């Protein structure tokens, strides 16, 4: 449908932004044989990009934190690759407050600082997920301000995202090692390992302070 509209209206610029493109473009050289559905999605996306290549009014952007999980054929079809650092503390603050406001809520200063301390190295999508999840839960309680008066909602949401990121980055490491191409991807392995350690430390601190096992 996206391509069809672009063909019908060549005077308009059509831009497609795909966040976490690794989720829909499984690397076929590093995916288990049984993951046929992933391979089909990858092939379909490659065809879409080939069609878009013929249209001067179409722009496609993809973002990922796991470059090694993006299929090589898809990566080659992006004409420009840019490496961006994780959002700074100030940028994470802007993203978090922006999404919270977008969801019709506000956040108290102490709660904001707490979330920022617990989300070091978080990608943008994970910050967005936390904002959405917390806002949804406090709205169910007819509350519109996020505060530390009830920290369990905030901490549960952060803990879930931390565990998700640990699992995701660990799977990425496993795929790299399984591919046998570890030497070529040493830099990625180091970066994933660094992020995993940061996430694990944050999760451990969260449990110590608020979940007292």
């Amino acid at each position: 449908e996206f391509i069809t509209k672009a063909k019908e209206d060549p005077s308009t610029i059509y831009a497609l932004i795909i966040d976490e493109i690794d989720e829909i473009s499984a690397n076929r050289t590093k995916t288990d044989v049984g993951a046929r559905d992933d391979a089909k999605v990858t092939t379909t996306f490659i065809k879409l990009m080939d069609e878009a290549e013929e249209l001067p009014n179409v722009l496609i952007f993809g973002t990922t934190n796991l470059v090694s999980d993006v299929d090589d054929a898809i990566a080659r079809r992006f004409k420009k690759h840019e490496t961006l650092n994780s959002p700074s503390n100030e940028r994470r603050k802007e993203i978090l407050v922006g999404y919270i406001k977008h969801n019709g809520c506000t956040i108290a200063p102490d709660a904001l600082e707490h979330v920022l301390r617990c989300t070091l190295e978080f990608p943008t999508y994970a910050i967005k997920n936390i904002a959405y999840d917390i806002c949804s839960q406090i709205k169910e309680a007819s509350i519109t301000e996020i505060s530390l008066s009830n920290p369990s909602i905030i901490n549960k949401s952060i803990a879930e995202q931390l565990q998700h990121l640990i699992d995701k980055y660990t799977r990425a490491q496993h795929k790299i090692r399984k591919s046998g191409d570890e030497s070529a991807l040493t830099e990625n392995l180091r970066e994933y390992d660094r992020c995993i350690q940061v996430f694990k430390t944050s999760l451990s601190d969260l449990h110590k302070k608020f979940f007292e096992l």
Side-chain angles (χ1 to χ4, degrees):
E1 185 180 350
F2 175 78
I3 295 297
T4 300
K5 287 184 176 180
K7 288 179 178 178
E8 293 173 349
D9 185 13
S11 63
T12 299
I13 299 296
Y14 286 81
L16 178 63
I17 302 174
I18 306 169
D19 193 20
E20 299 304 301
I21 196 171
D22 53 279
E23 294 288 352
I24 66 167
S25 65
N27 191 316
R28 290 169 294 180
T29 64
K30 300 175 186 174
T31 304
D32 294 338
V33 176
R36 294 180 180 175
D37 288 342
D38 286 345
K40 287 179 181 178
V41 171
T42 301
T43 301
T44 300
F45 188 69
I46 289 173
K47 289 179 180 178
L48 181 147
M49 292 195 73
D50 286 343
E51 286 189 65
E53 176 69 21
E54 305 297 323
L55 301 172
N57 61 325
V58 170
L59 299 172
I60 297 180
F61 301 89
T63 68
T64 181
N65 293 95
L66 303 174
V67 177
S68 62
D69 271 14
V70 179
D71 188 86
D72 291 340
I74 288 179
R76 287 195 303 270
R77 281 165 169 78
F78 283 96
K79 294 182 177 178
K80 191 170 184 179
H81 295 186
E82 293 284 348
T83 300
L84 304 176
N85 295 325
S86 298
S88 65
N89 193 63
E90 192 59 35
R91 180 58 183 146
R92 281 186 294 117
K93 181 177 179 180
E94 292 175 3
I95 294 168
L96 186 64
V97 172
Y99 278 120
I100 288 171
K101 185 178 179 180
H102 178 74
N103 281 282
C105 299
T106 58
I107 184 167
D110 59 342
L112 177 59
E113 290 305 313
H114 170 63
V115 175
L116 292 176
R117 282 196 302 271
C118 295
T119 57
L120 295 174
E121 301 297 337
F122 266 44
T124 299
Y125 83 90
I127 299 171
K128 176 183 177 181
N129 288 346
I130 286 176
Y132 177 80
D133 187 46
I134 295 174
C135 288
S136 296
Q137 291 189 63
I138 67 169
K139 281 182 176 179
E140 289 180 3
S142 299
I143 302 170
T144 57
E145 183 181 60
I146 301 169
S147 71
L148 289 180
S149 58
N150 186 4
S152 60
I153 291 176
I154 299 174
N155 296 324
K156 183 174 181 292
S157 179
I158 295 173
E160 287 175 352
Q161 284 301 310
L162 281 166
Q163 190 60 59
H164 164 76
L165 290 169
I166 290 169
D167 293 344
K168 183 171 183 176
Y169 280 54
T170 300
R171 285 195 303 271
Q173 284 186 316
H174 176 70
K175 285 182 180 180
I176 292 174
R177 293 190 172 102
K178 191 176 179 181
S179 73
D181 194 20
E182 186 171 336
S183 60
L185 293 166
T186 299
E187 185 176 343
N188 280 338
L189 283 170
R190 283 204 197 107
E191 179 63 13
Y192 296 163
D193 186 60
R194 185 184 67 81
C195 289
I196 288 169
Q197 294 309 312
V198 171
F199 299 148
K200 284 183 175 180
T201 299
S202 295
L203 187 59
S204 176
D205 290 345
L206 205 58
H207 278 284
K208 288 178 183 176
K209 292 177 181 177
F210 298 100
F211 295 109
E212 295 299 336
L213 299 180

